[in-house]
Amino acid sequence: MNGTKEESIPEGHDHHHGHAHPHEHMPCENVKQNDRVLTIRAHSGLSGDILLAGLLRMTETGEAETDRLLSAILPELSGTVRLTKRQVNHIGGWFAEVALPHQHEHRTLADIVALIAASGMDDAAKRLATDTFTLLATAEAAVHEKKPEDIHFHEVGALDSILDICMSCELFTRLAPARFVVSPLPLADGGVACAHGIIPVPAPAVLELLEGIPVRPFPDDGETITPTAVALLRCLGATFGPWPAMRVERRALVYGTRVFANAPNGAIFACGPRDDG
């Protein structure tokens, strides 16, 4: 898979988490009423915070509305996200600045599913977020030879995942693109430090989620793609390939937290109507 044509994730992947195909979650009325295309060109990386920042820009969501949406997910998330400008190698882009309260709470998949169900999120966003967490837990369970219900999302990592996943799903359902096209994902060699010591990249959970997804080499070492990002792409119904035929109306260069030696870490987001002419 070299990314020379657009490829969708195989239908067979759905047996991993027992949910309907992600495209079924999109509000049909929205999809029929617009021909909006969303594309992400992941030139050096993709993570939950990059997706969050990019979707905030594509939906043009301001601070007050961001806080309202965050409060609907969890009251303690209000005021934790600010979209800011950042320069990397003297090139300006956008960055999601996140300041989370410290928590000592470990959450199981059931805890998070219950939290999502009780939230004030849109129903379509609730389904997407639940599917994403279920897929993440299933991947982690496969790696650790456990059952998904026995997987724990720990402390700040759990809150960070709740923020990135729930907010991204909320924003994506608002945008409601008829097509969602992502570039082949950049992967590097090397290792990443975690609770289990130094593990090779792609991290085992990412590797578990990559089935059927086109990838390409990235020249630096280290983690370029996070499990949260891959799980979101799958559950949001991404297809993979080159730039789609579209008229660009909104665009953003978005940076992530990690810094690479030779490349800005991030992705290009663009949105606009389909243009086959």
Side-chain angles (χ1 to χ4, degrees):
M1 288 177 285
N2 57 12
T4 56
K5 64 183 181 69
E6 188 176 316
E7 301 182 55
S8 60
I9 296 169
E11 296 283 343
H13 181 83
D14 288 331
H15 75 271
H16 283 305
H17 58 118
H19 287 273
H21 193 271
H23 284 299
E24 294 176 14
H25 299 146
M26 293 306 304
C28 295
E29 299 81 8
N30 289 344
V31 171
K32 289 175 183 174
Q33 286 171 6
N34 73 58
D35 61 352
R36 186 179 293 125
V37 179
L38 171 65
T39 190
I40 301 175
R41 319 312 299 172
H43 56 85
S44 59
L46 205 57
S47 60
D49 59 324
I50 291 174
L51 280 165
L52 173 58
L55 288 168
L56 283 169
R57 287 298 299 156
M58 294 302 98
T59 54
E60 298 181 332
T61 304
E63 276 190 20
E65 182 64 5
T66 297
D67 284 345
R68 191 190 71 77
L69 292 173
L70 288 168
S71 294
I73 298 166
L74 265 182
E76 59 260 44
L77 290 179
S78 180
T80 60
V81 177
R82 287 291 175 266
L83 195 62
T84 61
K85 294 298 293 281
R86 166 178 284 190
Q87 283 206 353
V88 176
N89 298 344
H90 306 291
I91 304 296
W94 294 93
F95 175 71
E97 196 172 284
V98 178
L100 291 170
H102 186 70
Q103 289 194 346
H104 293 284
E105 190 174 359
H106 294 187
R107 290 183 167 102
T108 64
L109 177 61
D111 294 332
I112 292 176
V113 168
L115 182 154
I116 292 169
S119 75
M121 294 170 64
D122 177 83
D123 284 346
K126 284 182 179 181
R127 290 193 294 272
L128 287 171
T130 298
D131 275 5
T132 304
F133 270 108
T134 302
L135 184 55
L136 265 179
T138 303
E140 292 285 357
V143 168
H144 299 295
E145 298 183 344
K146 293 182 176 182
K147 295 178 180 178
E149 56 267 29
D150 295 331
I151 294 296
H152 285 75
F153 295 88
H154 297 290
E155 297 176 348
V156 175
L159 200 59
D160 195 36
S161 298
I162 290 166
L163 166 60
D164 289 343
I165 290 170
C166 291
M167 193 65 173
S168 292
C169 290
E170 189 71 68
L171 295 169
F172 188 86
T173 56
R174 286 184 161 212
L175 195 64
R179 296 180 65 211
F180 177 30
V181 185
V182 182
S183 65
L185 299 182
L187 294 180
D189 290 314
V192 61
C194 71
H196 307 286
I198 303 294
I199 58 172
V201 293
V206 172
L207 196 60
E208 184 68 22
L209 290 164
L210 279 179
E211 180 184 346
I213 293 181
V215 300
R216 61 176 178 78
F218 180 69
D220 217 325
D221 284 348
E223 183 181 47
T224 53
I225 306 293
T226 67
T228 295
V230 187
L232 275 167
L233 293 182
R234 283 197 172 279
C235 290
L236 297 179
T239 57
F240 294 84
W243 274 86
M246 63 184 290
R247 187 166 69 252
V248 174
E249 288 185 344
R250 300 175 193 168
R251 72 274 182 227
L253 175 59
V254 179
Y255 294 128
T257 306
R258 182 178 167 81
V259 176
F260 291 112
N262 301 309
N265 172 29
I268 292 168
F269 286 67
C271 183
R274 184 171 178 159
D275 187 358
D276 293 325

